Amino acid sequence: MKYLRLELRYPPDLMHPMHRLVDESDAVERDVLLQGTVLDETEDTFLFYVEGDIDVYTDALRAVDRIREFEVTRIDDDGYYVFLTQRRDAVDEAMFDPFQRTGIVVVPPVDFRPSGTVRLTLIGERGPLGDALADLPDRIESDVLRIGEYDWRQDLFDPGLTDRQFDALAAAVESGYYEHPRSGTVEEVAERIDAAPSTASEHLRKAESAMMSAFIELRDVA
């Protein structure tokens, strides 16, 4: 079962007003769609995780006419859940309809980021995935960040390693490189992944950096 890690870039006039807030205001650090219910009706319901100044965020929510109602639940000093219902419009349909098809599942979370970018994961069959990308409006740019076989456990902690970085880490663990006292060497890792020792060392260093950064970010959210 294939998955795509996808980044979309929206022009300002196609951005949702709340996404535009993330882009324009330093008060909101994260805006992440955790779950959503989209039915054959005119209104949709969503659960967001928001990190930042919640007063600025809720003021912006009140200014969006098509947001019908919302409820805020505080998690800690900076994090909140926002449960809201909003009226769907033509822009929403143009952006998300390509992903509403047989053979595709959008796997949350959907991460709304500055500069009009959105990151999300799609799983499904090769044909429908390709058709979905082809059917995106021309003004929405898309980049496939990663592609591979889907494993739900990866979503629990995903530092975004390349295949070679993962192979190097796996080889290091298998060879005892991370045991105490250390029983494996970079040379053994290099031999296992068929690479020069300097290349294996570089893969390990980048993988370790990515994992530590992802772990700290995960702890910050938790």
Side-chain angles (χ1 to χ4, degrees), residues 48-90:
F48 286 85
Y49 169 76
V50 178
E51 200 170 88
D53 189 328
I54 197 62
D55 292 332
V56 172
Y57 192 87
T58 54
D59 285 346
L61 286 174
R62 294 187 183 99
V64 180
D65 290 340
R66 61 193 183 94
I67 293 179
R68 298 303 196 189
E69 56 186 1
F70 65 88
E71 178 182 347
V72 176
T73 301
R74 183 171 183 167
I75 304 170
D76 52 32
D77 289 344
D78 298 310
Y80 303 82
Y81 291 128
V82 177
F83 186 77
L84 65 84
T85 298
Q86 71 171 15
R87 186 183 71 252
R88 196 179 313 153
D89 69 2

Side-chain angles (χ1 to χ4, degrees), residues 18-198:
M18 300 308 297
H19 190 188
R20 195 175 299 116
L21 175 69
V22 175
D23 190 38
E24 297 175 350
S25 174
D26 294 333
V28 179
E29 298 175 11
R30 300 194 70 185
D31 189 21
V32 183
L33 174 61
L34 301 179
Q35 293 290 345
T37 301
V38 179
L39 304 172
D40 291 332
E41 301 175 1
T42 59
E43 296 184 346
D44 305 315
T45 302
F46 300 108
L47 175 65
F48 286 85
Y49 169 76
V50 178
E51 200 170 88
D53 189 328
I54 197 62
D55 292 332
V56 172
Y57 192 87
T58 54
D59 285 346
L61 286 174
R62 294 187 183 99
V64 180
D65 290 340
R66 61 193 183 94
I67 293 179
R68 298 303 196 189
E69 56 186 1
F70 65 88
E71 178 182 347
V72 176
T73 301
R74 183 171 183 167
I75 304 170
D76 52 32
D77 289 344
D78 298 310
Y80 303 82
Y81 291 128
V82 177
F83 186 77
L84 65 84
T85 298
Q86 71 171 15
R87 186 183 71 252
R88 196 179 313 153
D89 69 2
V91 173
D92 290 336
E93 293 176 352
M95 289 189 295
F96 295 112
D97 274 3
F99 304 133
Q100 305 296 323
R101 65 178 68 212
T102 301
I104 287 182
V105 173
V106 178
V107 182
V110 178
D111 194 359
F112 292 87
R113 298 178 171 222
S115 302
T117 62
V118 178
R119 289 191 177 183
L120 67 157
T121 299
L122 304 176
I123 64 173
E125 302 167 3
R126 183 182 299 272
L129 287 171
D131 292 341
L133 295 180
D135 287 347
L136 283 169
D138 292 339
R139 297 179 61 215
I140 299 177
E141 300 177 15
S142 63
D143 284 330
V144 176
L145 303 178
R146 293 198 302 280
I147 183 171
E149 291 296 323
Y150 182 72
D151 184 345
W152 72 270
R153 295 168 296 182
Q154 186 179 30
D155 288 340
L156 301 179
F157 178 70
D158 183 7
L161 303 183
T162 67
D163 289 343
R164 291 295 281 168
Q165 289 167 0
F166 179 84
D167 291 344
L169 277 181
V173 171
E174 291 168 1
S175 67
Y177 182 79
Y178 291 111
E179 291 181 3
H180 183 75
R182 178 173 291 173
S183 58
T185 66
V186 170
E187 287 74 20
E188 290 179 74
V189 173
E191 183 176 354
R192 286 171 179 261
I193 66 172
D194 192 22
S198 60

